Amino acid sequence: LAVVAAVTAAVAVAGAVTWTGTPHVRALPWFSPAFGLATTVLYATTVLLLLRSRVGGVVRRLWEPFGRTALSNYVGATLLVLAAAVTAEGLGGVPWRGDAGYPLAVVMAVVILLVQYGVTVVWLRHFRQGPLEWAWRCVTYRTMLPIRR
């Protein structure tokens, strides 16, 4: 696993350097998917290695609330981003596209993640799972299931 992480890290870094430093590389149709795949494998292997380490238990406990409310948080984040985009367009626009939009997107993602984490932890003190997870299970089992702890 460590070897896979090292190889994909090299490919991902080389791809990032090439992508940002060489405009003609953007014309290669295979480059972006290959770079994206290497980066994805790097993220996955890094998480797996982290979970196997001594801090793995702490990481699991920190991320466990998101696992119990994954669908609700996914839909919630999507709605927050769409609301921000519509609001920004109505206020004269924000640089959402191109290289200028990346720092804004990272800040927005971190803020949404932190807010959702706080709301999720409070929610799970009172309920077993997220609201959309509960609704999905009710539809799947065709019965009203308890949601409260």
Side-chain angles (χ1 to χ4, degrees):
L1 203 54
V3 172
V4 173
V7 169
T8 56
V11 171
V13 169
V17 169
T18 304
W19 182 263
T20 57
T22 313
H24 71 273
V25 170
R26 296 178 188 210
L28 300 174
W30 57 268
F31 187 81
S32 182
F35 168 56
L37 179 61
T39 305
T40 301
V41 172
L42 173 62
Y43 289 157
T45 54
T46 301
V47 168
L48 290 173
L49 287 170
L50 184 64
L51 291 174
R52 289 182 173 183
S53 72
R54 281 187 237 150
V55 298
V58 174
V59 172
R60 276 191 290 278
R61 281 190 297 282
L62 282 174
W63 286 97
E64 186 260 340
F66 279 134
R68 292 177 48 208
T69 57
L71 180 59
S72 298
N73 280 317
Y74 176 78
V75 171
T78 301
L79 293 175
L80 288 172
V81 168
L82 289 173
V86 168
T87 303
E89 289 298 321
L91 296 175
V94 173
W96 293 99
R97 294 172 192 85
D99 293 341
Y102 293 144
L104 177 62
V106 170
V107 168
M108 191 162 59
V110 169
V111 168
I112 288 172
L113 185 72
L114 292 174
V115 168
Q116 283 187 320
Y117 189 82
V119 170
T120 297
V121 167
V122 171
W123 176 270
L124 289 176
R125 287 184 187 147
H126 305 285
F127 302 100
R128 297 174 190 230
Q129 59 206 5
L132 294 180
E133 290 76 11
W134 171 78
W136 187 268
R137 288 182 72 194
C138 288
V139 168
T140 300
Y141 296 126
R142 295 183 184 136
T143 185
M144 291 299 292
L145 299 167
I147 189 172
R148 287 201 160 280
R149 288 192 161 267

